[in-house]
Each structure stands twice: as structure tokens, then as C-alpha cells.
Amino acid sequence: MVGSQSNASEIGQSERSASDLFLTQLVAFGVDYFFANGGTDFPPIAEAFARAEQSGTVVPRPMVIPHENLAVSMAHGVYMTTGRPQAVMVHVNVGTANTVNAVLNASRDETPVLLFAGRSPYSESGRHGTRTRYIHWAQEMFDQGGMLREAVKWDYELHLPEQAGDMVARAWQVAMTAPRGPVYATLPRDVLADPIRVSRPDAGRRAAPAAPHPQPDDIRTLADWIAGAERPLIVTQGAGRTQAGFDALARLAERFALPVVSFHPRFLNIAADHPMNLGSLPGGLLSQADLVIALDADVPWIPALESPPAGCRVVHVATDPAYTRYPMRSFPSDLCVAGETADVLTAVEALLDRHERLDRKSIAGRGEALRAQSQALAGKRLSPDAMPSDGRIGPEWLSACIGEAVGPDAIIVNEYPLRLDHCPQTRGGTYFGLSAAGGLGWGLGAALGAKLANPDRLVVATLGDGAYMFANPTASHWVGEAHDLPVLTIVFNNQLYGAVRNATMAMYKTGVAARSGGRMLADLSPSPAFEKLVEASGGVGFRVERPEDLRDTLRRAVAVVTEERRQALVNVLCDY
């Protein structure tokens, strides 16, 4: 890789600056995109990008993103579909503050994001890059990294220009070490502008440790317990995080008649038509289980509502099966197996193949019964042909119609409202749900990131109306137009915060708030004409109020995105 050199007369020298090294080092570690929301601390970065363009130096693609939450969510979306972490840079403390929501999402979703922020220049005069703006004093903090320390794996501040390469290497290495997650570093403007006078030839030599490999004794124990179980159950949220995990679970579940429940799934973990797919609620299977395997599942059930019976063995499988970053998590555990889903399940499958205690006749009988249950659940799935007779569009039927319109290969990014049980997906890597942190405003940004990384795929963002407003739609649709990212956005518009309403109704079923349907502090009426917002950025907006208009409108919207390559939004008025 050829290094760029500065010709800037302001510096008065030809040395590479810290910002030059910073950008080329990002490329060396596989960063494709630099999502930037800039400020007065960005001139050295802007100059370095311009020098790279002039000299032909390879650097990440710079992308202006007019909101920090959106920038981090886009980086999240790229990673979840490619496995390649991306870089985000924001403005000092105020920009950092706007990232917290999205960084919490990335943290709980084990998503590495290389997050950088400017910092007020150290110097008050006398240096290139020194303080020259009124805000440089007020924007300095005693501990800027402290704003994010709860959510990131590592934070640092660049002190010397020659550290720029090592800083990127260290950030990448920590972010990619299991369990993966975001990292943060602050970059003072005067340090970024400084020339590099100390050579660091080994700054790019870093390897991330492999994920913990499951211990043979743990695999043997798990295989023994599966072989001896009469009523086993797998509960997962993230087994489909990788295609290898998706495939390994499908194979093991079918071969050994292991029912799978995707409880609050964040990925498509098992195909809708898989015979061991037992839906999304642990329910009766959990209450009767004698073995529960919590597979990449931080919360396998809600203890206040349901639990496995006494004597049931519980196994947790994840890269960090104890979820040590969670302050309190009290699920019983008889065995914790540290490792990637695919590695653990493949090793268990190999042992079960030759296990002396395996009763294949019993497995066949259990499999037959579970297939019947799976088929019964599938029979309850709404068909797009089952148009509501009462004139009201519900989320289940809307989900079924979306599945019909977008097809099996579309990437669906769901921020709450899509009912996956009624939108049957069968292929790994086609569904992504909101992080367990639940920070609103993620879905549209993540969909834009997914589209950036998958330009030939149809990408669909399914959002509640509250989530859509949180997504800074003006900024999001501007990004869609400016960076040629035609995404289909479908808003489930019930004119309220469903999570707030549902929690109130669950906690105070007979309370005063229930008399108004739990709308206190959840009401979002009157609803804006969301379909108009996308039109301001060259997109096409649709509004659906009647069931008879829905399917045709969705087909037209898909055509806008796939054939015209324009972004589209469908605002569907729902009653739920």
C-alpha cells in the first residue's frame, strides 16, 4: 500500500501526518467505509482524504452521515451482513453523546464498531491545529471516554502522531476478540495534524484471538445429556448470527429431534419450514423440559412468567455463556459451554453420531410428535389471501403480505413490529432484529448499512411509527438518496409506542391507565404523513388505510426499489 504525503503549505513540510496514517491503517484492517459526522476537529481528516484522492492512496470510502446514531447503526448493518467491522467518526463530546443509543445496541449485539471522536485540541496557541474556535474550550471534557465506558470494550486517546497506526490496530484487535463489541478512541485535532517522525513498521501486524473453543469435557457432557433427555429444548436468540451457526442448528435439530424456539430472535435462527421449528414462545415445551439448551440466548425465558420444572438441566452456550457484561443475570446453569454456535453444535453432533446411549427409536418417535406440533403451528400462520373482513389491518396479516411481496431472498431488518411467525423466512442471513438493548432508531440505519454492503439485494426496513421517528427520517432518507441506497421502508403505524402501552397493560391490567387502553404516555396521534418525508429525498411514498389496497401497494413499492432504484416508504395504518 502506497503512503500518501502532505503537500499542505500550512504545515510547511512533506511528512505524513497522523491522520494520513490513521486512514491507511483502517484499510489495512479491512475497513471499507468511514461514516463521518464532522465538526471543527475534522480538518486533518478532511485534508488526509483529499491528499489520498490526489495521490491515489487507498483509504476507506468517506461517507457524510448527518446524524451520529444513524452512522453507528449503518456500521452495525454492514457488519451484521458481512462480518467486517467499519469505522465511524463523530464530533467531540456532543457527537459522542448522540452515539450512545446506537453503541449500546452494538454492545449487546456483540457487534464490533470502530468508533472515533474528535477532541478539543490540547494546545491553546502556537501549534498547527491549535484552538481557533470559541467552542474548543467548552467542548473539552475531563473524561470524554467516560460517556461510553459502560458500553464499549476499550477506550483510548491518541497522544502522539506515531501512535495512530498502533491505535487502530489495537482498536480492531480488541473489537474483534470474542465476545466482539464496539471500541472508542478520541483524536485531538492538533495531534492528528502533527507529522510522523518516528517509524513504526510493525504497526499493522495484529491478529485477533480466535473465539474460545469448547472444552472436550463440556462437549462430552452436553452430548451425554442430549442422548439421555426425553424432553429436550433449544431456546435461541442468535444461533443464526452466522450461516455456519444456522446450518449447524438445522442439522443437529433434525437429526436428533431437538425442538427449537426462537425467543425474541435477533437473527433468523431456523427456517420457517424446518420440522423442528417450534415457533417463538417457550411455553409448554419449557414447562415440561428435562433439558434446556440456551443457545446464544442472553434471556432464554422470563422467570417472572415461566420457568423450566425442578430437576431440569440448563445449559448455556455462547462465546461468553455467563454474560459477564450483564450486571445481574440469575438463570440457573448446570453447564456453561464457551464457544461459537457452529463449533459447539458440530462437535456435539460428532459425538452423538456414535453415542452408545442414544435411543434412535425414541428419537424417531419424539421427532414424529414434534413434526406434528410444528405443522400445527404452521397451520396457524396467516395467508396473504386471508384479507381481514372487519376492514382493519393487523400486524400479523401485514407481516404475511410483506413476506409475499419481498420474496425469500430479501434482507429484512426489523425494529419490533414484524411478526416473523407470519412472515416465513427460510434462508439464513435474511432477517435481523433489534439488539437486546432496545435502543430505538436502529432499524432504518441498519437497513441502509445492509444495502450499502449488499447493493444487489432487496433490503426492507420494517419499523413501528415510533421507531421510524427515532430514526431521524430526514437524515436517513437524505443518506438513501445521497449515497444511492434504495431501501424499502414499511411503517406499521398504530399511532403509539407499543412497548410502553403493552408494559402498562401487563403491569396494571385493572388499573386506571387500562381504562384508556394503556395509551397514557404512549399516544403518538395525530400521526404525521410519513409517506411525504421520503419524497423530499427523491423517493416514492405510499399510504395504505384499507386492507384491499395493501398487497398491490407493496408490490408497487418493491418495483420502485428494485426496478427504478429509488427508495420507497409504505405508511400502513394498523390497528393493534
Side-chain angles (χ1 to χ4, degrees):
M1 186 176 296
V2 180
S4 62
Q5 290 194 343
S6 167
N7 295 315
S9 60
E10 294 89 343
I11 300 177
Q13 60 220 358
S14 61
E15 293 96 336
R16 287 178 87 198
S17 72
S19 55
D20 293 308
L21 177 58
F22 171 63
L23 295 183
T24 55
Q25 187 76 316
L26 288 173
V27 167
F29 282 93
V31 172
D32 306 296
Y33 307 106
F34 187 87
F35 300 107
N37 187 276
T40 59
D41 40 348
F42 271 60
I45 298 294
E47 179 69 10
F49 269 118
R51 287 197 294 262
E53 184 177 34
Q54 182 182 59
S55 65
T57 301
V58 178
V59 292
R61 174 181 167 184
M63 301 186 70
V64 174
I65 310 298
H67 196 279
E68 297 87 349
N69 192 49
L70 175 59
V72 177
S73 296
M74 288 183 69
H76 192 147
V78 172
Y79 174 80
M80 73 188 187
T81 60
T82 67
R84 295 169 65 88
Q86 303 303 315
V88 177
M89 187 168 173
V90 300
H91 181 44
V92 294
N93 57 349
V94 290
T96 298
N98 270 347
T99 69
V100 174
N101 187 42
V103 172
L104 286 168
N105 282 333
S107 176
R108 291 299 191 229
D109 217 20
E110 298 181 17
T111 296
V113 175
L114 308 183
L115 175 62
F116 303 97
R119 184 198 179 280
S120 290
Y122 289 127
S123 59
E124 295 183 273
S125 63
R127 295 178 61 88
H128 188 61
T130 192
R131 300 183 185 188
T132 58
R133 294 291 184 271
Y134 173 78
I135 59 175
H136 284 157
W137 281 264
Q139 288 183 334
E140 185 177 22
M141 297 183 70
F142 291 107
D143 184 13
Q144 186 170 309
M147 299 171 68
L148 280 174
R149 198 159 292 134
E150 177 78 11
V152 298
K153 295 182 65 181
W154 170 92
D155 68 279
Y156 190 69
E157 183 159 296
L158 181 65
H159 299 290
L160 301 168
E162 59 268 20
Q163 280 187 317
D166 287 316
M167 177 199 66
V168 170
R170 182 61 174 163
W172 177 88
Q173 187 180 51
V174 174
M176 293 294 282
T177 298
R180 295 176 175 181
V183 293
Y184 177 73
T186 55
L187 313 176
R189 187 175 83 163
D190 43 2
V191 180
L192 279 176
D194 267 355
I196 296 169
R197 296 189 174 91
V198 178
S199 175
R200 286 284 295 113
D202 291 335
R205 293 179 58 191
R206 296 292 188 282
H213 197 74
Q215 295 298 304
D217 286 348
D218 291 342
I219 295 297
R220 208 160 19 246
T221 298
L222 180 52
D224 288 345
W225 289 359
I226 292 174
E230 295 180 5
R231 299 173 303 281
L233 172 63
I234 294 175
V235 181
T236 184
Q237 275 127 21
R241 187 185 301 274
T242 65
Q243 185 65 45
F246 179 88
D247 293 339
L249 178 57
R251 210 170 46 242
L252 186 78
E254 183 163 18
R255 292 192 63 200
F256 301 103
L258 304 175
V260 177
V261 169
S262 291
F263 184 53
H264 290 275
R266 300 202 293 278
F267 306 88
L268 188 70
N269 299 309
I270 190 165
D273 57 0
H274 193 287
M276 292 299 110
N277 184 345
L278 271 294
S280 58
L281 298 174
L285 289 169
L286 179 68
S287 67
Q288 299 174 15
D290 58 0
L291 172 66
V292 174
I293 301 171
L295 183 60
D296 198 348
D298 54 349
V299 180
W301 64 83
I302 307 296
L305 303 178
E306 56 188 359
S307 290
C312 174
R313 287 170 167 157
V314 178
V315 180
H316 297 264
V317 178
T319 53
D320 175 18
Y323 291 89
T324 52
R325 299 277 297 185
Y326 285 44
M328 182 55 65
R329 182 179 182 272
S330 302
F331 295 95
S333 56
D334 299 290
L335 177 67
C336 284
V337 184
E340 297 278 5
T341 290
D343 294 339
V344 173
L345 297 189
T346 301
V348 167
E349 182 183 15
L351 285 186
L352 286 174
D353 266 339
R354 57 182 186 273
H355 203 286
E356 65 279 358
R357 290 175 52 199
L358 202 67
D359 185 342
R360 297 192 181 276
K361 183 177 180 181
S362 295
I363 288 175
R366 183 172 71 219
E368 187 175 344
L370 290 170
R371 284 185 182 87
Q373 290 184 51
S374 181
Q375 290 170 2
L377 279 175
K380 298 178 182 178
R381 190 177 296 145
L382 287 182
S383 165
D385 294 326
M387 189 169 65
S389 58
D390 60 3
R392 299 186 297 180
I393 300 173
E396 292 79 14
W397 186 66
L398 174 52
S399 299
C401 293
I402 290 171
E404 174 192 50
V406 305
D409 292 322
I411 295 173
I412 298 176
V413 181
N414 179 38
E415 189 163 2
Y416 281 132
L418 186 82
R419 302 322 196 226
L420 194 56
D421 289 342
H422 296 276
C423 182
Q425 301 299 108
T426 59
R427 301 175 186 177
T430 58
Y431 174 86
F432 301 92
L434 178 63
S435 158
L440 285 186
W442 167 86
L444 187 47
L448 288 163
K451 183 65 177 179
L452 179 64
N454 300 270
D456 298 324
R457 300 275 298 275
L458 171 61
V459 178
V460 183
T462 54
L463 313 173
D465 49 326
Y468 177 67
M469 286 193 277
F470 254 91
N472 295 288
T474 301
S476 295
H477 293 312
W478 179 89
V479 165
E481 182 181 27
H483 298 297
D484 189 24
L485 301 174
V487 164
L488 172 58
T489 303
I490 302 173
V491 179
F492 288 55
N493 186 356
N494 63 352
Q495 303 184 55
L496 56 79
Y497 285 124
V500 177
R501 186 268 312 274
N502 295 342
T504 299
M505 294 296 288
M507 193 170 177
Y508 294 101
K509 295 183 181 68
T510 60
V512 177
R515 297 174 190 172
S516 62
R519 299 187 74 90
M520 177 62 69
L521 302 182
D523 195 344
L524 290 178
S525 62
S527 178
F530 296 132
E531 67 276 9
K532 300 296 184 184
L533 298 181
V534 71
E535 294 175 359
S537 292
V540 180
F542 302 89
R543 181 182 182 90
V544 176
E545 299 183 13
R546 305 185 308 162
E548 53 265 37
D549 299 329
L550 178 62
R551 296 168 76 183
D552 182 59
T553 301
L554 289 174
R555 282 191 289 267
R556 288 162 57 203
V558 168
V560 166
V561 173
T562 58
E563 298 171 17
E564 300 179 25
R565 286 200 59 81
R566 299 167 67 193
Q567 58 185 321
L569 181 143
V570 184
N571 179 17
V572 184
L573 273 64
C574 299
D575 187 5
Y576 70 101

